[in-house]
Amino acid sequence: MADDGRAPDGGGALGRPAAEGTSADPGTIRGPGRVLVALYGVFALAAGARAAVQLSTQFDEAPLAYLLSAVAAVVYVIATVGLARGGRGGRHTAVVACSIELAGVLVVGTLSLLDPAAFPDATVWSGYGQGYGYVPLLLPVLGLLWLRHQSRVADARPPTGGTAHAG
Amino acid sequence: MSTPLVVAATVVAVVLAALGGLSTALRRRIGTAHLAGAGLLELLLLVQLGVAVAALAGGDRPEDLATFLAYLLSVVLLPIAGLLWARSDPTRWAGTVLGVAALAVAVMLWRLLDLWEVTGG
Protein backbone atom coordinates (compact mmCIF):
# COMPACT_ATOMS: atom_id res chain seq x y z
CA MET A 1 0.00 0.00 0.00
CA ALA A 2 2.79 2.39 0.84
CA ASP A 3 4.24 1.97 -2.65
CA ASP A 4 1.09 3.31 -4.27
CA GLY A 5 1.76 6.23 -6.54
CA ARG A 6 5.42 6.33 -5.69
CA ALA A 7 6.53 5.80 -9.27
CA PRO A 8 9.99 7.33 -9.47
CA ASP A 9 9.60 8.68 -13.00
CA GLY A 10 9.85 12.44 -12.94
CA GLY A 11 7.23 12.96 -15.64
CA GLY A 12 3.56 12.36 -15.00
CA ALA A 13 3.55 11.14 -11.41
CA LEU A 14 4.75 14.37 -9.89
CA GLY A 15 3.10 16.61 -12.42
CA ARG A 16 4.16 18.88 -15.22
CA PRO A 17 6.55 21.76 -14.65
CA ALA A 18 4.85 24.68 -12.97
CA ALA A 19 4.10 28.07 -14.40
CA GLU A 20 6.41 30.71 -13.00
CA GLY A 21 5.52 33.89 -11.19
CA THR A 22 2.23 35.22 -9.88
CA SER A 23 2.18 38.56 -11.64
CA ALA A 24 0.13 37.75 -14.73
CA ASP A 25 -3.30 38.23 -13.24
CA PRO A 26 -3.54 40.30 -10.06
CA GLY A 27 -7.24 39.63 -9.65
CA THR A 28 -7.10 35.88 -9.19
CA ILE A 29 -5.46 34.24 -6.26
CA ARG A 30 -2.79 31.68 -7.06
CA GLY A 31 0.56 30.48 -5.85
CA PRO A 32 1.53 30.97 -2.19
CA GLY A 33 -1.56 33.09 -1.62
CA ARG A 34 -3.66 30.06 -2.37
CA VAL A 35 -1.85 28.07 0.31
CA LEU A 36 -2.68 30.82 2.81
CA VAL A 37 -6.33 30.86 1.74
CA ALA A 38 -6.45 27.07 2.14
CA LEU A 39 -5.02 27.33 5.67
CA TYR A 40 -7.37 30.17 6.56
CA GLY A 41 -10.29 28.24 5.09
CA VAL A 42 -9.54 25.24 7.29
CA PHE A 43 -9.36 27.46 10.36
CA ALA A 44 -12.52 29.35 9.46
CA LEU A 45 -14.27 25.98 9.15
CA ALA A 46 -12.84 24.56 12.37
CA ALA A 47 -13.39 27.68 14.49
CA GLY A 48 -16.83 28.29 13.01
CA ALA A 49 -18.07 24.74 13.63
CA ARG A 50 -16.66 24.76 17.13
CA ALA A 51 -18.20 28.13 17.99
CA ALA A 52 -21.59 27.13 16.59
CA VAL A 53 -21.67 23.96 18.69
CA GLN A 54 -20.43 25.67 21.85
CA LEU A 55 -22.79 28.62 21.63
CA SER A 56 -25.83 26.52 20.84
CA THR A 57 -25.38 23.75 23.39
CA GLN A 58 -23.33 24.95 26.35
CA PHE A 59 -23.20 28.74 26.34
CA ASP A 60 -23.74 29.01 30.11
CA GLU A 61 -20.64 27.00 31.00
CA ALA A 62 -18.06 29.49 29.73
CA PRO A 63 -19.64 32.47 27.97
CA LEU A 64 -16.36 34.37 27.62
CA ALA A 65 -14.45 31.51 26.00
CA TYR A 66 -17.31 30.66 23.66
CA LEU A 67 -17.90 34.23 22.59
CA LEU A 68 -14.19 34.50 21.87
CA SER A 69 -14.41 31.36 19.75
CA ALA A 70 -17.21 32.96 17.78
CA VAL A 71 -15.25 36.21 17.33
CA ALA A 72 -12.20 34.22 16.20
CA ALA A 73 -14.33 32.32 13.70
CA VAL A 74 -15.76 35.53 12.23
CA VAL A 75 -12.26 37.05 11.94
CA TYR A 76 -10.99 33.92 10.16
CA VAL A 77 -13.88 34.04 7.71
CA ILE A 78 -13.26 37.74 6.98
CA ALA A 79 -9.52 37.11 6.49
CA THR A 80 -10.26 34.15 4.19
CA VAL A 81 -12.62 36.19 2.04
CA GLY A 82 -10.24 39.18 1.94
CA LEU A 83 -7.27 37.03 0.93
CA ALA A 84 -9.30 35.11 -1.64
CA ARG A 85 -10.76 38.23 -3.25
CA GLY A 86 -7.43 40.04 -3.48
CA GLY A 87 -7.29 43.48 -5.07
CA ARG A 88 -6.92 46.66 -3.04
CA GLY A 89 -10.17 46.25 -1.11
CA GLY A 90 -9.58 42.60 -0.37
CA ARG A 91 -6.05 43.29 0.84
CA HIS A 92 -7.21 46.07 3.17
CA THR A 93 -9.89 43.82 4.63
CA ALA A 94 -7.38 41.02 5.09
CA VAL A 95 -4.80 43.32 6.74
CA VAL A 96 -7.38 44.46 9.30
CA ALA A 97 -8.54 40.86 9.94
CA CYS A 98 -4.99 39.53 10.26
CA SER A 99 -4.04 42.36 12.65
CA ILE A 100 -7.06 41.66 14.87
CA GLU A 101 -6.12 38.02 14.76
CA LEU A 102 -2.53 38.65 15.78
CA ALA A 103 -3.66 40.93 18.63
CA GLY A 104 -6.28 38.33 19.62
CA VAL A 105 -3.91 35.40 19.77
CA LEU A 106 -1.33 37.41 21.74
CA VAL A 107 -3.82 38.92 24.23
CA VAL A 108 -5.92 35.79 24.71
CA GLY A 109 -2.81 33.61 24.76
CA THR A 110 -1.28 35.71 27.53
CA LEU A 111 -4.51 35.99 29.53
CA SER A 112 -5.18 32.26 29.29
CA LEU A 113 -1.77 31.56 30.81
CA LEU A 114 -2.11 34.22 33.53
CA ASP A 115 -5.68 33.41 34.48
CA PRO A 116 -6.60 29.87 33.38
CA ALA A 117 -9.80 30.02 35.43
CA ALA A 118 -11.30 32.56 33.03
CA PHE A 119 -10.85 30.07 30.20
CA PRO A 120 -12.15 26.75 31.52
CA ASP A 121 -12.64 25.48 27.97
CA ALA A 122 -10.05 26.09 25.33
CA THR A 123 -10.52 28.55 22.49
CA VAL A 124 -8.54 28.60 19.26
CA TRP A 125 -6.37 31.32 20.75
CA SER A 126 -5.75 29.85 24.24
CA GLY A 127 -2.08 29.29 25.04
CA TYR A 128 -1.12 31.04 21.80
CA GLY A 129 -2.93 28.42 19.75
CA GLN A 130 -1.30 25.52 21.58
CA GLY A 131 -4.20 23.17 20.89
CA TYR A 132 -3.83 23.79 17.17
CA GLY A 133 -0.07 23.33 16.87
CA TYR A 134 0.55 27.08 17.25
CA VAL A 135 -0.78 27.56 13.71
CA PRO A 136 -3.12 30.36 14.94
CA LEU A 137 -0.01 32.29 16.03
CA LEU A 138 1.80 31.65 12.75
CA LEU A 139 -1.09 32.36 10.38
CA PRO A 140 -1.56 36.12 10.94
CA VAL A 141 2.21 36.67 10.71
CA LEU A 142 2.39 34.79 7.40
CA GLY A 143 -0.75 36.58 6.25
CA LEU A 144 0.61 40.04 7.00
CA LEU A 145 3.97 39.26 5.35
CA TRP A 146 2.20 37.97 2.26
CA LEU A 147 -0.11 40.99 2.13
CA ARG A 148 2.85 43.35 2.42
CA HIS A 149 4.53 41.54 -0.47
CA GLN A 150 1.32 41.69 -2.50
CA SER A 151 0.81 45.41 -2.01
CA ARG A 152 4.44 46.00 -3.06
CA VAL A 153 3.83 44.00 -6.22
CA ALA A 154 0.70 46.05 -6.83
CA ASP A 155 2.51 49.35 -6.21
CA ALA A 156 5.14 48.38 -8.77
CA ARG A 157 2.44 48.23 -11.43
CA PRO A 158 1.06 51.28 -13.25
CA PRO A 159 -1.78 52.68 -11.11
CA THR A 160 -4.42 52.19 -13.79
CA GLY A 161 -3.72 48.49 -13.47
CA GLY A 162 -4.60 47.65 -17.06
CA THR A 163 -2.08 45.83 -19.21
CA ALA A 164 0.86 43.76 -18.11
CA HIS A 165 3.92 45.99 -18.01
CA ALA A 166 5.01 44.66 -14.63
CA GLY A 167 8.43 43.13 -14.25
CA MET B 1 -14.68 4.54 14.55
CA SER B 2 -11.89 2.14 13.75
CA THR B 3 -8.39 2.95 14.95
CA PRO B 4 -6.56 0.88 12.26
CA LEU B 5 -8.53 2.74 9.62
CA VAL B 6 -7.60 6.09 11.14
CA VAL B 7 -3.94 5.04 11.26
CA ALA B 8 -4.06 3.91 7.60
CA ALA B 9 -5.75 7.14 6.49
CA THR B 10 -3.21 9.18 8.48
CA VAL B 11 -0.32 7.40 6.75
CA VAL B 12 -1.87 8.06 3.33
CA ALA B 13 -2.53 11.70 4.25
CA VAL B 14 1.04 12.25 5.43
CA VAL B 15 2.45 10.59 2.29
CA LEU B 16 0.14 12.79 0.18
CA ALA B 17 1.29 15.92 2.02
CA ALA B 18 4.92 14.88 1.45
CA LEU B 19 4.24 14.36 -2.27
CA GLY B 20 2.64 17.80 -2.39
CA GLY B 21 5.66 19.34 -0.70
CA LEU B 22 7.93 17.48 -3.13
CA SER B 23 6.09 18.91 -6.13
CA THR B 24 6.47 22.39 -4.72
CA ALA B 25 10.17 21.81 -4.07
CA LEU B 26 10.67 20.48 -7.62
CA ARG B 27 8.65 23.37 -9.10
CA ARG B 28 6.01 21.10 -10.52
CA ARG B 29 2.24 21.03 -10.59
CA ILE B 30 0.41 18.05 -9.17
CA GLY B 31 0.36 14.77 -11.13
CA THR B 32 -0.99 11.25 -11.11
CA ALA B 33 0.73 10.36 -7.83
CA HIS B 34 -1.25 13.12 -6.10
CA LEU B 35 -4.46 12.03 -7.79
CA ALA B 36 -3.91 8.43 -6.68
CA GLY B 37 -3.05 9.50 -3.15
CA ALA B 38 -6.07 11.78 -2.81
CA GLY B 39 -8.30 9.06 -4.29
CA LEU B 40 -7.03 6.46 -1.83
CA LEU B 41 -7.44 8.89 1.06
CA GLU B 42 -10.99 9.70 -0.01
CA LEU B 43 -11.80 5.99 -0.27
CA LEU B 44 -10.53 5.36 3.26
CA LEU B 45 -12.53 8.34 4.53
CA LEU B 46 -15.70 7.05 2.90
CA VAL B 47 -15.18 3.60 4.47
CA GLN B 48 -14.58 5.37 7.77
CA LEU B 49 -17.80 7.36 7.29
CA GLY B 50 -19.67 4.10 6.63
CA VAL B 51 -18.24 2.48 9.76
CA ALA B 52 -19.15 5.51 11.87
CA VAL B 53 -22.69 5.74 10.49
CA ALA B 54 -23.19 2.01 11.08
CA ALA B 55 -22.00 2.41 14.69
CA LEU B 56 -24.28 5.42 15.20
CA ALA B 57 -27.19 3.46 13.77
CA GLY B 58 -26.28 0.62 16.13
CA GLY B 59 -26.84 2.94 19.09
CA ASP B 60 -23.33 4.14 19.95
CA ARG B 61 -23.33 7.85 20.73
CA PRO B 62 -20.31 10.06 21.33
CA GLU B 63 -20.96 12.56 24.10
CA ASP B 64 -20.42 15.53 21.82
CA LEU B 65 -22.58 14.30 18.95
CA ALA B 66 -22.94 17.64 17.12
CA THR B 67 -19.20 18.26 16.91
CA PHE B 68 -18.60 14.65 15.93
CA LEU B 69 -21.07 14.87 13.03
CA ALA B 70 -19.65 18.20 11.86
CA TYR B 71 -16.14 16.75 11.74
CA LEU B 72 -17.32 13.47 10.22
CA LEU B 73 -19.00 15.18 7.28
CA SER B 74 -16.49 17.95 6.64
CA VAL B 75 -13.47 15.63 6.71
CA VAL B 76 -14.91 13.69 3.74
CA LEU B 77 -15.14 16.91 1.70
CA LEU B 78 -11.59 18.10 2.37
CA PRO B 79 -9.58 15.89 -0.07
CA ILE B 80 -12.05 16.70 -2.85
CA ALA B 81 -11.92 20.43 -2.19
CA GLY B 82 -8.13 20.35 -1.89
CA LEU B 83 -7.72 18.37 -5.10
CA LEU B 84 -10.07 20.54 -7.15
CA TRP B 85 -8.39 23.67 -5.93
CA ALA B 86 -4.88 22.32 -6.44
CA ARG B 87 -5.69 21.16 -9.97
CA SER B 88 -6.84 24.63 -10.97
CA ASP B 89 -3.60 26.22 -9.78
CA PRO B 90 -0.92 26.45 -12.47
CA THR B 91 1.92 27.30 -10.07
CA ARG B 92 4.15 25.02 -8.04
CA TRP B 93 2.15 25.81 -4.93
CA ALA B 94 -0.63 23.47 -6.04
CA GLY B 95 1.10 20.61 -4.20
CA THR B 96 1.31 22.62 -0.97
CA VAL B 97 -2.40 23.45 -1.16
CA LEU B 98 -3.16 19.74 -1.42
CA GLY B 99 -0.71 19.06 1.42
CA VAL B 100 -2.53 21.51 3.70
CA ALA B 101 -5.81 19.73 3.01
CA ALA B 102 -4.20 16.32 3.63
CA LEU B 103 -2.67 17.37 6.96
CA ALA B 104 -5.97 18.91 8.03
CA VAL B 105 -7.61 15.53 7.30
CA ALA B 106 -5.03 13.76 9.46
CA VAL B 107 -5.57 16.14 12.39
CA MET B 108 -9.35 15.96 12.08
CA LEU B 109 -9.31 12.15 12.05
CA TRP B 110 -7.51 11.98 15.39
CA ARG B 111 -9.86 14.58 16.82
CA LEU B 112 -12.76 12.45 15.60
CA LEU B 113 -11.29 9.41 17.32
CA ASP B 114 -10.95 11.41 20.56
CA LEU B 115 -14.57 12.52 20.30
CA TRP B 116 -15.71 8.99 19.61
CA GLU B 117 -13.95 7.53 22.62
CA VAL B 118 -15.75 9.90 24.98
CA THR B 119 -19.00 7.99 24.83
CA GLY B 120 -21.60 9.01 27.29
CA GLY B 121 -25.28 8.90 27.96
Side-chain angles (χ1 to χ4, degrees):
Chain A
M1 184 195 84
D3 280 325
D4 256 1
R6 280 279 205 166
D9 72 290
L14 282 179
R16 287 166 289 148
E20 277 306 317
T22 57
S23 60
D25 193 355
T28 51
I29 185 83
R30 48 165 62 172
R34 206 175 261 228
V35 176
L36 264 182
V37 175
L39 272 171
Y40 267 101
V42 166
F43 268 82
L45 181 77
R50 182 176 202 170
V53 169
Q54 288 176 335
L55 286 179
S56 59
T57 62
Q58 51 206 62
F59 179 69
D60 297 336
E61 288 171 29
L64 177 61
Y66 296 158
L67 280 175
L68 264 173
S69 287
V71 170
V74 170
V75 174
Y76 281 120
V77 171
I78 293 173
T80 308
V81 172
L83 283 167
R85 285 189 58 203
R88 188 171 291 270
R91 278 202 307 276
H92 279 194
T93 311
V95 166
V96 172
C98 287
S99 306
I100 294 176
E101 222 184 294
L102 186 57
V105 74
L106 291 177
V107 170
V108 174
T110 307
L111 286 179
S112 66
L113 293 184
L114 292 180
D115 185 12
F119 298 89
D121 201 355
T123 73
V124 210
W125 288 339
S126 300
Y128 303 110
Q130 207 173 22
Y132 293 81
Y134 294 102
V135 178
L137 183 60
L138 197 63
L139 264 186
V141 176
L142 288 177
L144 288 171
L145 286 174
W146 168 249
L147 287 161
R148 194 178 64 164
H149 166 75
Q150 281 296 89
S151 61
R152 281 183 182 170
V153 171
D155 287 346
R157 283 201 194 89
T160 42
T163 44
H165 276 292
Chain B
M1 293 293 293
S2 142
T3 308
L5 212 50
V6 168
V7 171
T10 305
V11 170
V12 173
V14 169
V15 168
L16 182 60
L19 281 173
L22 190 62
S23 279
T24 299
L26 295 177
R27 297 175 179 270
R28 285 174 180 279
R29 302 173 64 173
I30 60 167
T32 47
H34 303 89
L35 275 177
L40 184 59
L41 181 59
E42 184 64 23
L43 188 70
L44 288 172
L45 291 179
L46 287 174
V47 172
Q48 167 67 56
L49 176 66
V51 170
V53 167
L56 286 172
D60 287 343
R61 286 280 184 282
E63 192 185 326
D64 198 348
L65 184 63
T67 310
F68 181 79
L69 287 177
Y71 271 83
L72 191 63
L73 295 177
S74 44
V75 78
V76 177
L77 299 176
L78 262 178
I80 299 172
L83 193 62
L84 287 177
W85 220 33
R87 271 174 75 81
S88 64
D89 191 310
T91 73
R92 63 194 167 110
W93 295 97
T96 306
V97 168
L98 190 58
V100 166
L103 290 181
V105 166
V107 171
M108 285 175 76
L109 280 172
W110 287 95
R111 182 84 185 103
L112 265 173
L113 200 57
D114 274 353
L115 287 167
W116 182 254
E117 277 162 4
V118 186
T119 44

